[in-house]
Amino acid sequence: MRMTFACGVAFAALMLPGAAFAQSTGSTEADTVGSGDIVVTGAREPGVGGVDIPATAKNKQVLNQTFISHQTPGQTINDIINQLPGVSFQNNDPFGSAGGTLTIRGFDGSRISQTFDGIPLNDTGNYAIYSNQQLDPELIEQVNVNLGSTDPDSPTASASGSTVNYRTLIPTDQFGARMVGSIGDYSFFRVFGLVNTGVFTPWGTKAWFSGSSATNDVVFNNFGKINKQQYNAKIYQPIGSGKDFISVSGHYNQNRNNFFGSAPLRNDNNVYTTTVATGANAAAPTLLTGDVRTAGTGSTNRFPRSRDELPYSVGRCQIDVPQAGGVDAPATTNAPGASNNGSICGSSFDERYNPSNTANIRINSRFSLSDKLTLFVDPSYQYTKANGGGTVTGREQGRTVGANTYYGFFQSVSNSNGYYFGRDLNGDGDTLDTVTLLAPSQTITNRYGVIASLRYEFSDTQSIRVGYTLDYGRHKQTGELGFLQANGKPFDVFPVNDGILAINGGVVEKRNRFSKAILNQGFAQYIGNFFDSKLRVEASVTGKWFKRDLTNYCFSTSAGGNVDCLASASQNAAYAAANPYVVGGTTPAPTITGFAAPQNRVYKYDRILPAGGLTYEVTDAFSIFGNYSKGIQVPGTDNLYQAFYYPQNTTPANPRPETTDNFDAGIRYTTSRVTASLGPWYTRFQNRLASAYDIDTQQTIYRNLGRVDKYGIDGSISYRPIRELLFYAYGSYLKSEIKTNVEIGRCPQTLTAANTTNNCTVAGAPILAQTAGKRESGAPVYTFGGRVQATLGPLELGVQAKRTGRRYLNDQNLPQFACAGPNGNLNLVNNVCPTVDNVPATYTGQRGIQYQTYGAYAPGYTTVDFDARLALDWVGIGGNNKTYLQLNVVNAFNKFYVGGFTGGQTVNVNNSIPFVQIGSPRAFILSVNTAF
């Protein structure tokens, strides 16, 4: 079949390597294998209005530079794809440099593979996606989203569902340059520059170089700053006169950000305590109303109720001057009404930093070995240095256990931060004091990868591709401490550069572990086109052999991930003897006393993943498609290191991988004026892992939800009735169902009058959360939106809106509760608040009162954005619409809403209130673009 396309932009997108709809060079070209000859008939952009729906067996949605360029300059690409069906993204600010929360069809960021010119961007440890570290949008040729599957060579151990792939621009043949300058609310200022060298050698070599810098104030308080700079380059060398090429690209990104806007999701007005009600047959206590909760990010604050309560203030403070011979303690902030009033100086959430340095080198290449045999090789190297976290109290003394004094971090110490140095920290000459220190979680990663494949074409319509993928990550996770200035700010946001030593010369740190994440992957893919290319069949099988080589240099002291890290390994033997590790119980449910010593473990996860699909072209415009794929996510580092507490031959020590069976089907309609798609989908999870992160303890709790079924429907349509007018609409509905009740704990092995509750009357019995039949938390029930764009001479006007449905806060879909006692929060007993209704009359402990802190879900919300672009050709500035003014108004009606959270919380009675982002506010951004 002959296929008719356009010259100009469309011709370049089709013909240049790297300009199609997949991630690696090999997968990119595989999408168009057997599609027939290309005939140039006239100028036409790919897709309609920058929205494209490629004719593949997978459900893919594509946005190209036509669409991307109308969004806010510098915006993270993860916010831009929020205008696609199935995608939900909550940006932390209007500008894209502060992070955000991404889900696709309910898959959270750890289950989405994000790639950049084919290289994986997910964290090698916890698979997180960092939206503030993405490529400058001006450099992105197109971004495509696989809504429910991956490519066979996808270098991921985590993508049990969707993928996001974007590819950079190809250098132009002619010399040229582009400059974009932007200013906006919250002191936003950004400059971006791009230079294309044009062809500068007899062999056709060409390149581009770019740089950008963006700064702004954080949007919710009077303290924080955001500073981002990025540099990119690409050299492109064609080989011969055909499609062969080799390109070498480099990227460096630096972020220096304050945290902000993550507030406890509670709307109760006051701090509550109760009267004492202890002992057998005690009457119910009385609830006592205490201090009023104000909006802010502290643990005693509440979530704002409207924009009227924003911004909140962050008070400034001064660390006490040390006094020799006295017992100095950390100073507190005295700023009534401020979010951090009463907190230790420099310790509030908004005073924390989240710095990162990331870099990569990428090679993409294509070599024709014969008329029928083609080799693709994409090697890469990545480097990451990043941290995040708050402050702790360091002690100038040592920790004495028996006859020995130890130095280091001791999380097993009750009611204590547990940082013991044994030396003077504040320079006053004594060792009597406690001192506030910076204590982020530090990560340094070196990552090597290659995606190689060999394609053989049996004919113009039949091909097979085989390949190998390597992803090798060396992941060092530490927790060095740093000093603070007198105003509570750090001297160095990277304490790893010069960690504080204990008296014995060892580094005091809250974690110390080294991991190797090694993925070896092989695949084979067949693509066949039949019946004059009306029917396209794709089938593949991928073998993944994944190994995690993990070394924990600290003692594991609890199943929740607590550790004791001695500053010097020379003290490990004595500490192990003082805390002997004893195992009881059974293999499925062991009981542990003592601490697990530092050790190395190797986990291996191997899986064969089949995939297949087809498309059938009913008419030139109308087609149908269907696809099946199997996915896997192996447990991340945090989950596996928590398992170190148990002997390696027991069930809890061996978390199982999560697997998915993904089914997609649908119809497509594509003409020069309309591109549309509609289709249902279904995903079945096995061993669905849920995780909830505690912002204060910086720990993640994992639970296995067992089997979860998810299904829904996605649709989109882009329509341009005339050249000057564009209509775009999309929508999705999502239903998920947890099939079983989830175990969240076990009753004590020995029941007494002090620990027997009405839900625990049998020793050792499982404690179940009522999750069967409920939705997963964190994902919107539905989303829909659209865009209208009109051209009036030199003026282009656009408006886009999106509605995001409700998101449940826990997997039981129940309101959130806390438990009050005489001293504030009362500890739960067997995962329940020990109210008079939850304990027998013989219970001897303190009774509590359970009260609601928030509803079952975050309400749905609608945001609206406006953009306007005025070309300056009419006043004699520039030409070909390359010089223009652009105005973007983000969240134009300043809608207040609950921002990003990932879900994963199973319990609904919990004194650890979840912290979630406040929804991004309205912002005006004015930009000037000039190019030649």
Side-chain angles (χ1 to χ4, degrees), residues 9-27:
V9 175
F11 185 80
L14 287 161
M15 295 302 292
L16 287 175
F21 310 112
Q23 51 189 22
S24 69
T25 307
S27 287

Side-chain angles (χ1 to χ4, degrees), residues 53 97 128 142 183 213 252 394 527 715 785 792 867 894 906 927:
I53 302 173
S97 298
Q142 57 87 17
I183 59 172
S213 174
Y252 176 76
I527 297 176
L792 305 172
D867 59 88
N894 207 23
T906 303
S927 306

Side-chain angles (χ1 to χ4, degrees), residues 310-382:
L310 297 169
Y312 54 86
S313 63
V314 177
R316 301 312 309 129
C317 59
Q318 195 77 10
I319 293 176
D320 286 340
V321 177
Q323 302 293 323
V327 180
D328 299 312
T332 58
T333 302
N334 182 17
S339 174
N340 61 335
N341 183 46
S343 66
I344 294 175
C345 183
S347 296
S348 68
F349 177 77
D350 299 271
E351 294 171 279
R352 300 178 184 180
Y353 286 83
N354 183 210
S356 65
N357 299 339
T358 57
N360 66 59
I361 298 174
R362 316 177 306 282
I363 298 176
N364 299 97
S365 61
R366 181 191 192 277
F367 305 97
S368 296
L369 305 182
S370 71
D371 290 344
K372 295 182 178 295
L373 192 63
T374 308
L375 174 67
F376 307 91
V377 183
D378 295 354
S380 64
Y381 166 74
Q382 297 183 70

Side-chain angles (χ1 to χ4, degrees), residues 634-665:
V634 305
T637 50
D638 287 342
N639 196 357
L640 293 174
Y641 277 117
Q642 286 185 14
F644 274 38
Y645 183 65
Y646 296 101
Q648 195 163 5
N649 63 346
T650 62
T651 301
N654 293 278
R656 290 177 292 178
E658 173 184 290
T659 60
T660 57
D661 292 283
N662 306 301
F663 301 86
D664 258 303

Side-chain angles (χ1 to χ4, degrees), residues 319 421 423-427 435-438 481-485 488-493 495 498-501:
I319 293 176
F421 290 84
R423 71 175 185 89
D424 182 18
L425 295 173
N426 58 8
V435 178
T436 303
L437 301 171
L438 179 67
L481 290 85
F483 289 109
L484 299 177
Q485 303 177 51
K489 294 183 179 181
F491 285 100
D492 186 348
V493 294
D498 189 17
I500 304 175
L501 306 182

Side-chain angles (χ1 to χ4, degrees), residues 424-481:
D424 182 18
L425 295 173
N426 58 8
D428 65 354
D430 62 41
T431 56
L432 304 173
D433 312 321
T434 55
V435 178
T436 303
L437 301 171
L438 179 67
S441 298
Q442 177 73 50
T443 298
I444 295 178
T445 302
N446 288 277
R447 189 173 190 176
Y448 311 86
V450 65
I451 303 173
S453 63
L454 191 65
R455 189 185 77 232
Y456 180 74
E457 297 181 39
F458 297 100
S459 67
D460 291 341
T461 60
Q462 311 279 320
S463 72
I464 188 169
R465 186 167 65 107
V466 296
Y468 168 75
T469 299
L470 170 69
D471 185 19
Y472 188 105
R474 297 172 59 87
H475 195 71
K476 180 68 173 174
Q477 296 173 297
T478 56
E480 295 88 350
L481 290 85

